[in-house]
Amino acid sequence: MTSAITANTDHGVAVSTNESEWQLGTDSGLPVMPPVEPEPQRDRSLERLERPLHTLTAEHCGWLLLIAYAAFSRFAWLSARPLDAGEATRALAMLSGYSGAVNLAPQPGWVNLITAALSALGASAWSMRFVPAFCGLMLIAVAFGLRRYIGRAGGLALALLLTLSPGFAYYARADAPEMPTALMALLTLYAFCILAEHPATARATWLGIVIGLLSAAAPEGRVIEVSFILALALIGLYCLAARQHSLLNIKVWFKRHGGLLLIVVITTLLAWFASAFFASVPAEFASSDSAIQQAGGSLGLIAAVHSYLPALALDEFLIVLTAIVGIAAVLSARLRSILAAWVALWTLFSIILALMLPTDIANLTLMLLPMAVLGALGIEWLHHTNAWPVVRVVVGVLAVLTLYVQILTNFIYYAPDASEAAWNRHANLYWSGLTTTIQTPLYCRRAMAGITPADATSYFHLEAPAVRWYLRGLRPVKNPAIAAVDVGPPLAGRGPEGGSGGSAGLRRFDFDYAVTWPLTWSSLTPTSALRYIFTDEAWVRPLAAPITITSRPSNPPALTDLDE
């Protein structure tokens, strides 16, 4: 756009009829541009450092606190609890091919590979338990991913339930297949949700891999898969009966995404076979320890109820109560989603199948995982009601009490103490089979004190995998007469601890090396229940397995050296 300019040579100014367009003139009458003022100098350092990165919300603070505490509760003092019989059997099998004599479930192959790599740097309780602890922490990460499908409050509630659970914390701090199996189960649920939301080849491959890894975790993994399939079958039958054009929709889905199902099947088989190839071989039953083993693993519905009810009522009450809220919301049609109905059926079938298995307190995780998801859905529903201001206070009180129980279970009375008086025994509901006492590593160190490498030999009269683990620095021999350390059952006339037994320099250690707690719900009273919740005092005396270790040191150490 042009505008007329009137020249005024007397003042040397060119005036434009447009006030927004003016120029200074010169003596020659040629127009020039006005002087350009320098731009203010930018403080780029201030701009970058003052730039807001993210808005911190209450939800973010909750996730940060839960992740921090989950990492602490899973990894702090991971080696404090002695290895029990099953853990020691797996550890010895990894180091020296020991087949053992304890009935245990094999670890999944991928867990064995990672554990073997860590043990190559130095075999210890920490290296054996790192993978389950990491899986326990990853459960919280999967809960964060599930918040898209169960709600933001539901995802936070699921993470809270799994983090504070005394049982999940206990098994995350043990070399047992429960935590890897639970992680694969929750990953399967997450992978299925993202595939149903947006079918894609990569997501189908991911679902097949996690299903295969879950299948390799026998028998818990297959129990979870059966409960998955049964719940899906009932949901499918309902959709066929209630929805219009269901068969047509199925045909259209198979025409569009039928190849994804084939991908899931192929990757499932490959992952299953690969993991099963590297899985540890389960050991045989022990003849010497079979009596105390059977006390922790028996058949029958009554035995299962007596075994599981104390833990559900006294330790896992937060998960149980929230699961009751979740099932009530589903049955009353407050929660109308297909996912909520499927989780309710998954919980039901998991409880039924777990009760059909041989009674083992470790099977409690098969029930607790779906109950935690169902409880999270219940919390999500309550979060949208007017009752939430009151409900959150109740949930907070129960969460604090559950945290207290978890600390007692995992950090104070985490292992049996054989030195406690018979009338003041503290116990842990998750002690099953042969749980090693805190005296076992101590006396094993004392037995090996003063033995030179040339004389470092041992002979075992009975199968005691935990004792073998802590005496793994000794070479096993077939003749007890030449063994520097002799391990056997207690015999009459052996004398007190440290007695000579007729041989100069002979030292003897008599103690209870393992304990199991035969749970009996019928003998539990309200008073003993409260006493257990707040002090972990046992209402039934645990069963102990005594042992005698006889040591013949090459150079008898001083008394103070034995305690080092």
Side-chain angles (χ1 to χ4, degrees):
M1 181 179 67
T2 58
S3 58
I5 299 177
T6 304
N8 189 341
T9 56
D10 294 337
H11 298 87
V13 177
V15 181
S16 171
T17 57
N18 190 345
E19 294 181 357
S20 63
E21 298 180 4
W22 62 274
Q23 293 178 331
L24 292 176
T26 61
D27 294 339
S28 61
L30 297 176
V32 296
M33 297 297 296
V36 179
E37 296 183 2
E39 296 182 0
Q41 187 176 2
R42 297 173 58 185
D43 190 346
R44 299 186 181 276
S45 176
L46 180 62
E47 293 178 2
R48 293 165 181 167
L49 295 178
E50 292 291 331
R51 181 178 55 187
L53 296 179
H54 193 74
T55 302
L56 188 65
T57 64
E59 182 188 9
H60 298 148
C61 293
W63 281 108
L64 291 176
L65 289 175
L66 286 176
I67 292 173
Y69 180 73
F72 170 81
S73 60
R74 271 57 177 172
F75 287 98
W77 300 291
L78 194 58
S79 301
R81 188 168 79 234
L83 293 182
D84 61 22
E87 293 177 296
T89 300
R90 296 186 186 94
L92 291 171
M94 185 172 299
L95 293 181
S96 59
Y98 168 74
S99 59
V102 176
N103 183 45
L104 74 159
Q107 278 282 25
W110 63 275
V111 177
N112 275 350
L113 289 177
I114 300 175
T115 305
L118 294 174
S119 299
L121 303 176
S124 64
W126 185 90
S127 64
M128 299 300 300
R129 292 169 173 167
F130 174 81
V131 176
F134 182 75
C135 291
L137 182 60
M138 289 302 297
L139 281 174
I140 313 305
V142 181
F144 181 80
L146 283 172
R147 64 197 282 270
R148 178 181 179 89
Y149 307 101
I150 64 177
R152 296 171 64 178
L156 196 60
L158 178 58
L160 176 69
L161 295 175
L162 296 178
T163 300
L164 298 185
S165 168
F168 276 98
Y170 185 87
Y171 289 112
R173 300 173 61 84
D175 179 30
E178 282 74 26
M179 279 305 100
T181 303
L183 176 61
M184 290 301 109
L186 206 61
L187 275 174
T188 301
L189 173 59
Y190 176 65
F192 184 84
C193 289
I194 62 175
L195 180 63
E197 181 184 30
H198 181 67
T201 302
R203 299 187 176 193
T205 304
W206 172 244
L207 177 60
I209 291 174
V210 294
I211 292 177
L213 295 179
L214 179 62
S215 302
E220 293 85 357
R222 292 163 196 176
V223 170
I224 294 175
E225 288 180 333
V226 171
S227 61
F228 275 2
I229 294 172
L230 291 176
L232 280 175
L234 288 182
I235 292 295
L237 291 176
Y238 169 78
C239 292
L240 284 175
R243 294 184 176 181
Q244 297 181 351
H245 311 296
S246 298
L247 293 177
L248 179 61
N249 292 334
I250 293 175
K251 291 180 181 179
V252 172
W253 188 93
F254 269 98
K255 186 174 182 180
R256 291 181 177 179
H257 310 295
L260 298 180
L261 182 60
L262 182 61
I263 292 175
V264 171
V265 173
I266 293 176
T267 52
T268 296
L269 295 176
L270 291 177
W272 185 0
F273 292 149
S275 183
F277 179 77
F278 295 101
S280 59
V281 179
E284 302 290 338
F285 276 107
S287 57
S288 58
D289 296 329
S290 59
I292 196 169
Q293 278 288 110
Q294 290 174 1
S298 55
L299 294 170
L301 180 61
I302 301 300
V305 171
H306 279 275
S307 179
Y308 299 141
L309 268 183
L312 291 173
L314 304 180
D315 279 1
E316 306 294 347
F317 47 83
L318 179 59
I319 291 181
V320 173
L321 293 176
T322 54
I324 293 174
V325 174
I327 194 67
V330 172
L331 294 178
S332 62
R334 303 289 183 177
L335 289 174
R336 298 176 178 270
S337 68
I338 295 294
L339 178 61
W342 179 85
V343 172
L345 292 173
W346 175 30
T347 304
L348 175 64
F349 288 122
S350 296
I351 295 175
I352 294 174
L353 294 174
L355 293 177
M356 294 172 61
L357 293 175
T359 302
D360 186 356
I361 192 63
N363 294 335
L364 193 67
T365 56
L366 298 177
M367 298 181 276
L368 288 178
L369 183 62
M371 290 172 66
V373 180
L374 184 60
L377 290 170
I379 293 296
E380 173 66 25
W381 167 64
L382 287 175
H383 187 257
H384 294 281
T385 64
N386 294 329
W388 176 246
V390 177
V391 170
R392 67 182 179 184
V393 176
V394 177
V395 173
V397 172
L398 293 175
V400 171
L401 184 57
T402 304
L403 176 62
Y404 175 80
V405 173
Q406 184 192 82
I407 293 174
L408 280 181
T409 301
N410 292 278
F411 296 101
I412 298 179
Y413 301 112
Y414 54 87
D417 186 358
S419 65
E420 288 185 332
W423 51 269
N424 189 30
R425 288 293 179 96
H426 296 87
N428 190 315
L429 287 172
Y430 305 100
W431 295 348
S432 61
L434 295 171
T435 304
T436 308
T437 62
I438 59 177
Q439 282 76 21
T440 298
L442 171 64
Y443 286 126
C444 286
R445 288 196 301 269
R446 290 184 175 184
M448 290 189 297
I451 298 178
T452 61
D455 298 331
T457 56
S458 64
Y459 182 84
F460 283 80
H461 295 272
L462 77 168
E463 290 292 347
V467 180
R468 285 181 180 268
W469 166 258
Y470 290 107
L471 295 177
R472 65 187 182 277
L474 306 178
R475 302 184 305 274
V477 294
K478 297 182 179 181
N479 186 359
I482 63 174
V485 175
D486 183 90
V487 180
L491 297 177
R494 286 202 172 198
E497 174 187 328
S500 63
S503 300
L506 191 67
R507 290 185 286 112
R508 185 164 49 255
F509 307 97
D510 297 309
F511 61 97
D512 295 333
Y513 80 97
V515 165
T516 190
W517 191 11
L519 301 177
T520 53
W521 175 260
S522 57
S523 60
L524 182 64
T525 63
T527 303
S528 59
L530 291 175
R531 189 181 297 117
Y532 172 80
I533 290 177
F534 291 101
T535 65
D536 259 16
E537 182 177 337
W539 64 87
V540 176
R541 183 176 179 178
L543 299 178
I547 201 171
T548 295
I549 300 179
T550 305
S551 174
R552 187 181 296 106
S554 308
N555 301 311
L559 182 61
T560 55
D561 296 336
L562 299 178
D563 297 324
E564 294 181 358

